[in-house]
Amino acid sequence: MSFDHLPYRPCAGFMLVNHAGLVFVGQRIDPTAHGYWQMPQGGIDKGEDVREAALRELHEEVGVAAHMVEVIAGTSRPIRYDLPPELQGRVWKGKYRGQEQHWFLGRFLGEDADIDLEAHDPPEFNAWRWIEPGLLPELIIPFKRAVYEEVLAEFRDLI
């Protein structure tokens, strides 16, 4: 099967904002994304609700449980991206051409001390911080930049 005929991996992501309107980002440990920052996201399990998947990923990756979040909105449609040529066939055992992501926006009701990068084994991130929303596209790995621009455009007025 050619790359163009492969399916997209179902994925859910979460834009977590604090009381000051800043967005959570974590620095990826993955060597293919070294030095880049991203919001929590990951695969949707078969039969799993997309909102529940986003909250699960948030909890697994950064230790923020659902009761620590007020979910505000979800994107109006899933957003797709294709893997760049150098990652095609290497990521996800070559089964997917990219991801189809469902994003959610939520207000963090906890304290910074509630964030736990060791919640996931192995950890996804080696550092985290709160940033101005407009900085998101320049911090993400370039092939996901259009996704972050679209998520930001959709959620900007709700942050």
Side-chain angles (χ1 to χ4, degrees):
M1 183 180 290
S2 76
F3 178 76
D4 292 342
H5 291 93
L6 290 174
Y8 286 93
R9 179 179 181 248
C11 178
F14 208 94
M15 178 186 275
L16 185 67
V17 297
N18 67 11
H19 66 280
L22 300 175
V23 177
F24 174 93
V25 290
Q27 186 175 42
R28 297 275 306 163
I29 291 176
D30 179 353
T32 63
H34 179 70
Y36 292 107
W37 297 73
Q38 74 175 44
M39 296 181 287
Q41 57 110 90
I44 300 171
D45 295 334
K46 187 173 181 142
E48 187 176 27
D49 174 78
V50 294
R51 177 183 160 134
E52 293 305 312
L55 289 166
R56 176 184 51 75
E57 287 294 332
L58 182 64
H59 186 246
E60 286 177 3
E61 293 187 1
V62 300
V64 174
H67 73 274
M68 297 180 198
V69 177
E70 173 193 358
V71 178
I72 298 168
T75 49
S76 59
R77 63 176 184 78
I79 304 167
R80 290 180 172 177
Y81 74 85
D82 287 345
L83 289 169
E86 66 272 14
L87 295 178
Q88 294 172 8
R90 292 183 38 216
V91 178
W92 308 305
K93 300 176 184 173
K95 295 191 303 187
Y96 302 102
R97 67 182 292 173
Q99 291 195 88
E100 180 174 89
Q101 299 184 322
H102 301 261
W103 283 92
F104 291 85
L105 169 67
R107 182 115 16 239
F108 183 46
L109 305 174
E111 303 292 327
D112 285 0
D114 294 323
I115 295 172
D116 178 13
L117 300 185
E118 300 292 322
H120 193 271
D121 185 23
E124 297 273 337
F125 304 117
N126 60 15
W128 70 273
R129 60 184 171 155
W130 297 107
I131 64 164
E132 292 290 336
L135 296 175
L136 282 168
E138 67 189 60
L139 295 177
I140 188 68
I141 198 161
F143 67 87
K144 293 183 183 179
R145 190 163 290 147
V147 171
Y148 272 43
E149 288 169 346
E150 194 167 334
V151 170
L152 184 58
E154 199 158 333
F155 290 157
R156 187 181 317 272
D157 293 340
L158 301 173
I159 294 173

